[in-house]
Amino acid sequence: MFLSVVLIISSCGEGLQTASHDKYEARIDSIVNLMTLDEKINMIHASSSFTSGGVERLGIPELVMSDGPHGVRVEHGRDWAPDPNANDEATYLPTGICLASTWNPELGYEFGKVLGSEANARGKDVILGPGVNIIRSPLNGRNFEYMSEDPYLTGEMAVGYIKGVQDQGVSACIKHYIANNQETDRSGVDVIVSERALREIYLPAFKAGVQKGDVNTLMGSYNKVNGQYATYNQYLINDVLKGEFGFDGAVISDWSAVHDTKDALIGGTDIEMGTDLDQMPNIDYNAFFMGDSALAMVENGEVDESVIDDKVKRILRVMYKSDMLDGSRPDGSMNTKEHQNTALKVAEEGIVLLKNDGMLPVKPGQYKTILVVGHNAERKFSMGGGSSQVKALYEVTPLEGIKNYCGADSKVIFAEGYTTSKDNSVDKKLAAKAIQAAAKADAVIFVGGWIHNYGHEVWGAIGYDAEGKDKSDINLLYGQSDLINSIAKVNPNTAVVIMGGSNVELNSWMNSVPAIIHAWYPGMEGGNAIASIIFGKTNPSGKLPMTFANSYEEYPSHCVGEFPGKDMVVNYDEGIYVGYRYFDKENKEPVFPFGYGLSYTTFSFSDLNVKNNDGVITAEFKVTNTGDVAGAEVAQLYIAPVNPAVDRPVKELAAFDKIFLNPGESGKVSFVLSNDDFSYYDVNSSSWKTDKGDYKIEIGNSSRNISLSETISL
């Protein structure tokens, strides 16, 4: 097993990573010295739809890659056509935003462990995840794959994921680097973003993946950043990623993200994938930008061969780190009970209880007749979303999960209520039948929200929570809001379950119902997890990883900055004020704040003690379960500068811990902070800076519910 030693040697937040690769570096140098230029070039571009080239003469295999971030993608061999009769039924895990809602990095590790094990069993060398792009707007079609609006939460969850994958002998691929926060015009939109916003918002999760997670590969994004393509951006790839952050692995282009040979070679792309040559199915992979044309540039002296050597060395380094060259990779496994239990556990901890006026949990036999309403109650999502599609071994729908839990205690009936359509039309007959049935039932569980409708031109359709297209707004589709209100009028015992990759408009209907659950896309065990929470077997502990406002127009990406921009340019004029940072600054009340989530029990925070020992700050406090149900609380620590000398957010998340407690039980939480946690990026000195002065250490269970506070001086 390869052992890496990470050394952080900076006091201003820009540490360098050095890894002990000595025994491998000597081997790598000797291999490169044996290679012809043709063989080197063959390794830096695709050799099929999801492989890059090897060198058979030297025993160097192809690098085999696969989507996706929440399950190994369907098998399609060397082309794009799904293989018939393939043994590719996988564990369909909850999506990235659901994982982040657990606020549990240990589950991040278990999540990655499942992915790595199943990728290994399927013969994959690289799994293309995690996705760590910041949720800048609720309209982004791929928010469901990503994790949070907050860079610290995203980074901590990604590190666990990466380590879980790579401990199985498979390389993780953190993506999409960088500022890929929309699908509209993604193949070239120029993101104009300040250096400070890059450093404080969009880069930290990638930095954590490199320096804390030791991630083996990274995928460049389609878009430009400040005028240059992100996949081969001299500053962002060579200077920041490979220089300052110390990334020594391989940069893989997103599929068809390379547009120029010399720019890609010099700008830091190590492997070119997916370039569209319109030659299907007989593609000449040597015709890729980093194929024959790259060879010619080296041969005529336009590009030095050392540039190619560096790319080959990075690829070989990935192979050594993932045990591809010595045959010692651990055995993988597929669809085990352990994997399915991980899928269930992530869903149970990631589902968020938004509102509960006493209706939940439902006791066994409490209602003789339970009506389940909604198209999403019986819809399956595993093959949705675009490149992240997974052929699940099975998928438990919410309707199935509710029936499983009710058994003979209650009669469960179903009314679809609404159905999907390309024109977002309302089916009045389905709605009328659901309302009539609701009037006769003892309780109603409405399951609605978003669906995966493909937005990419290859997959067609309209585009909701899918690769290739963004949403136009966050209003519920197909007349769901009116239907919820109508059902609630005839049956006050109505709970609503929302499925989807981001929030929906809430104010027009949320006051009509006593209970609301946000379930995201909860994976193959999602129906059981939803039912487990509704009926009280599981005490909900999920917390929102993004701010829930009532309209997309309330978000800073729309009312201060631009989304999706115009004429292939999008200005991030909101700067560092993304998500809760903006709502705090403007003192705007969201519908539900960042970090929010209810439980069936209650918790208290007490006895805060903050100590400063030569710049190392320790914050200790007590969390007590003051209710009568076992449960988990997420203790969140925010740092709030007092009278800062420069423009800074009101507060920023700096630490969190999920603590599980029995009724009446107390537990101590301790956070250790350094000066770096109080720093900001100073554009004048191009460095991280921590100002002297007073700072509040704030402890709570959401960004808007602070229970304890203590001021310290630095």
Side-chain angles (χ1 to χ4, degrees), residues 242 247-249 270 310-318:
K242 294 181 176 179
F247 178 64
D248 61 6
D270 298 312
D310 178 69
K311 300 179 190 305
V312 173
K313 288 177 180 180
R314 288 174 176 275
I315 297 166
L316 290 173
R317 196 173 293 130
V318 169

Side-chain angles (χ1 to χ4, degrees), residues 541-587:
S541 61
K543 301 285 185 178
L544 292 181
M546 62 176 289
T547 303
F548 274 19
N550 198 55
S551 165
Y552 74 89
E553 296 171 320
E554 298 176 27
Y555 289 86
S557 52
H558 297 269
C559 63
V560 179
E562 296 176 346
F563 186 101
K566 58 184 178 180
D567 300 325
M568 297 298 288
V569 176
V570 57
N571 290 285
Y572 283 28
D573 291 332
E574 73 276 12
I576 61 172
Y577 290 101
V578 176
Y580 69 90
R581 290 165 169 80
Y582 168 78
F583 286 87
D584 284 352
K585 177 188 179 184
E586 299 298 326
N587 198 26

